[in-house]
Amino acid sequence: MSRTTKNKAVVPDARSTPEVDGIDTLEALKRQVTALQRISSMGLLAGGVFHELNNALTPVISYAKLALRNPDPEYRERALKKILEAGERAAAITGGMLGMTRPGRTPNHREPTDMGRLVDEVIMLAGKDLNRHNVRLDVQMADRPFARVNPTQIQQVLVNLLINARQAMPEGGLVTLRLATDPAGRRVELSVADHGVGIAPADLRRIFEPFFSTKSGPDAAGLGGSGLGLSVCRDIVEAHHGRIRAESRRGKGSTFTLILPTCPPPALAEPHVGAA
């Protein structure tokens, strides 16, 4: 038996071509930028979150001391219920911060998510920072739709938009956070609207370009102005098969809207191994 090897063509492994290696490197860099942007937001919110955590833990200590002093079983039961409520509140706060540190099992992880609950967690994380800068938050939830998302990543988008809204109003003001579905019930719409300085039309067309910023530099907290925040937000939303749009009028304010596909609640969805 003869074998012909002299003219045998050698096909390079497509996985190791310079083009593919370049794409892999670019994707890795995008993931790193997304993680750094998330860490930056967490640093900004940390002071407010720790304040809220302290407020949640104070009743635990107070009611525990009262229960130790009072032998009445009914009084102690009421004190234990208060301690439980405060403990659950503290757990929710720390859980929200821990959630922001973990993008999921993988960057592409998705799960049916109660978007109303997701909004509640974002408010708990960002609310104190807004209050500290004299920004009032008006939350409007017409319903509580579900969407198949990576919760941490969508939280990251909303936190970034809330920080941007706050920075657009240096003297404070009103920010509206709205959650709704479209009339057909097929799309989740999440919008953040401020009454700040607004964005010029020429800048609005470039607002999602990497490294483009309308800010002159970082704010008093040393954040903002890199031109990466909204670019990361767009990449995250588009990876969820959604889109993000911006509307603005100079001197009137801006509105950023996330549009994501809805999904059935977990109890109504088809069984899926590994879904959470």
Side-chain angles (χ1 to χ4, degrees):
M1 181 183 292
S2 62
R3 291 185 294 177
T4 303
T5 59
K6 185 180 295 184
N7 297 324
K8 184 177 180 180
V10 178
V11 180
D13 186 350
R15 292 173 296 179
S16 62
T17 62
E19 292 82 0
V20 172
D21 289 344
I23 292 172
D24 290 343
T25 301
L26 179 60
E27 290 302 316
L29 288 172
K30 283 185 176 180
R31 289 195 295 270
Q32 291 176 12
V33 169
T34 300
L36 288 172
Q37 199 267 344
R38 184 171 62 252
I39 292 169
S40 175
S41 297
M42 287 173 57
L44 178 64
L45 301 178
V49 170
F50 290 150
H51 182 82
E52 288 297 308
L53 184 58
N54 182 68
N55 288 344
L57 290 175
T58 298
V60 173
I61 299 172
S62 299
Y63 280 105
K65 289 180 177 178
L66 291 172
L68 287 172
R69 294 172 189 161
N70 196 319
D72 180 28
E74 291 186 4
Y75 184 91
R76 286 190 168 187
E77 183 177 355
R78 290 197 299 270
L80 286 171
K81 287 181 179 178
K82 293 292 185 181
I83 290 172
L84 178 60
E85 291 173 4
E88 290 174 341
R89 169 70 177 169
I93 293 170
T94 56
M97 281 298 281
L98 286 172
M100 283 284 287
T101 68
R102 295 191 291 259
R105 299 181 184 91
T106 69
N108 296 323
H109 170 69
R110 305 286 186 269
E111 61 187 62
T113 301
D114 180 342
M115 299 304 288
R117 180 176 178 182
L118 185 147
V119 167
D120 289 338
E121 291 174 351
V122 168
I123 295 168
M124 184 166 52
L125 289 172
K128 198 65 181 180
D129 176 72
L130 297 177
N131 290 337
R132 193 166 61 245
H133 291 87
N134 299 316
V135 173
R136 292 177 292 111
L137 184 61
D138 177 25
V139 181
Q140 301 176 1
M141 285 196 276
D143 47 24
R144 301 178 73 94
F146 276 73
R148 185 175 291 278
V149 300
N150 183 315
T152 300
Q153 291 179 353
I154 300 303
Q155 282 182 348
Q156 178 179 349
V157 172
L158 286 178
V159 166
N160 185 270
L161 294 180
L162 286 171
I163 292 172
N164 283 354
R166 187 262 288 167
Q167 291 174 334
M169 301 185 297
E171 305 303 319
L174 176 68
V175 170
T176 301
L177 174 57
R178 182 174 179 272
L179 170 64
T181 53
D182 68 353
R186 299 175 59 185
R187 297 286 184 270
V188 176
E189 296 182 357
L190 269 167
S191 65
V192 176
D194 65 64
H195 297 275
V197 295
I199 304 169
D203 292 337
L204 192 61
R205 289 192 291 269
R206 303 182 58 195
I207 200 68
F208 295 108
E209 292 180 9
F211 303 108
F212 178 81
S213 177
T214 60
K215 303 170 186 174
S216 58
D219 63 8
L223 296 175
S226 68
L228 288 173
L230 288 176
S231 174
V232 168
C233 289
R234 180 199 59 190
D235 289 347
I236 289 174
V237 173
E238 290 183 352
H240 284 75
H241 306 291
R243 58 192 176 95
I244 181 171
R245 67 169 184 252
E247 304 167 272
S248 186
R249 291 180 61 190
R250 196 68 175 161
K252 298 293 185 181
S254 306
T255 300
F256 287 82
T257 304
L258 284 65
I259 302 174
L260 299 164
T262 59
C263 78
L268 303 179
E270 294 182 3
H272 177 70
V273 177

